Amino acid sequence: MKKILKWGAIGFGVLILIGVVASVGKSGSTPTSSNSQSNTSNNNSNNSNPPAQEKQEAPTVVDATTLVAEYDKNKISAEGKYTGKTVETTGYIKNISDDITGKYYLSLNPSNEQYYFGTTITCYFADKSAKSEITSLSNGQSVTVQGKMADMSLGIVVMNDCRVVK
């Protein structure tokens, strides 16, 4: 009986030792991975062209009617063509507002029909300084905007980091 207790205690001790080693091994690998991440970010910050000074791509100019029609025809194809790209489009303001996070946006219709019911474009502005850009605008007005295309969901094509062009 004493032998069984002795081997049981040894087995229990071995299990605890394995747990401690595994725990130390995991915590030991975390700094290594964060060090490699910080080394990567340090290497990126040493580049001669920091991201803020990268050359801006020329926007893809597309009429709002065409843009919405492409998403309505084949969302996957349109996302492949536009997502992540800077797009310039002209539409008619349906709504000027802010969302629950306080981010300003314009909701645009592709046509100026009074009772337009279909896919719209929502253009979110990057920061609060956009207020000065949009306070002079009004619903129904034609406006040209540039922004990064995101995705389409529930009949709304989303653009981020927008700015009013004219």
Side-chain angles (χ1 to χ4, degrees), residues 10 23 27 33 48 65 77 105-106 109 111 120-121 153 165:
I10 291 174
S23 173
S27 66
S33 65
S48 59
T65 304
S77 174
Y105 69 89
L106 295 177
N109 284 340
S111 74
T120 60
I121 301 167
S153 179
V165 177

Side-chain angles (χ1 to χ4, degrees), residues 61-74:
V61 179
V62 60
D63 179 67
T65 304
T66 304
L67 183 65
V68 165
E70 287 189 53
Y71 275 91
D72 285 343
K73 182 179 177 184
N74 186 332

Side-chain angles (χ1 to χ4, degrees), residues 109-125:
N109 284 340
S111 74
N112 200 19
E113 296 173 25
Q114 182 178 1
Y115 298 108
Y116 173 79
F117 184 75
T119 301
T120 60
I121 301 167
T122 299
C123 192
Y124 288 96
F125 291 82

Side-chain angles (χ1 to χ4, degrees), residues 143-157:
V143 66
T144 301
V145 294
Q146 275 185 13
K148 285 259 190 221
M149 293 301 295
D151 194 0
M152 177 186 172
S153 179
L154 302 172
I156 301 170
V157 177

Side-chain angles (χ1 to χ4, degrees), residues 49-134:
N49 295 329
Q53 295 176 356
E54 286 181 9
K55 189 189 295 184
Q56 287 187 345
E57 66 180 77
T60 302
V61 179
V62 60
D63 179 67
T65 304
T66 304
L67 183 65
V68 165
E70 287 189 53
Y71 275 91
D72 285 343
K73 182 179 177 184
N74 186 332
K75 176 185 172 188
I76 295 169
S77 174
E79 287 175 344
K81 185 175 180 179
Y82 296 112
T83 299
K85 296 190 173 131
T86 301
V87 171
E88 181 176 308
T89 192
T90 302
Y92 297 90
I93 300 172
K94 175 183 174 183
N95 190 21
I96 305 166
S97 192
D98 59 344
D99 65 10
I100 60 171
T101 65
K103 212 171 179 184
Y104 296 120
Y105 69 89
L106 295 177
S107 181
L108 305 174
N109 284 340
S111 74
N112 200 19
E113 296 173 25
Q114 182 178 1
Y115 298 108
Y116 173 79
F117 184 75
T119 301
T120 60
I121 301 167
T122 299
C123 192
Y124 288 96
F125 291 82
D127 56 35
K128 293 284 188 177
S129 66
K131 186 174 185 177
S132 62
E133 281 187 87
I134 63 177

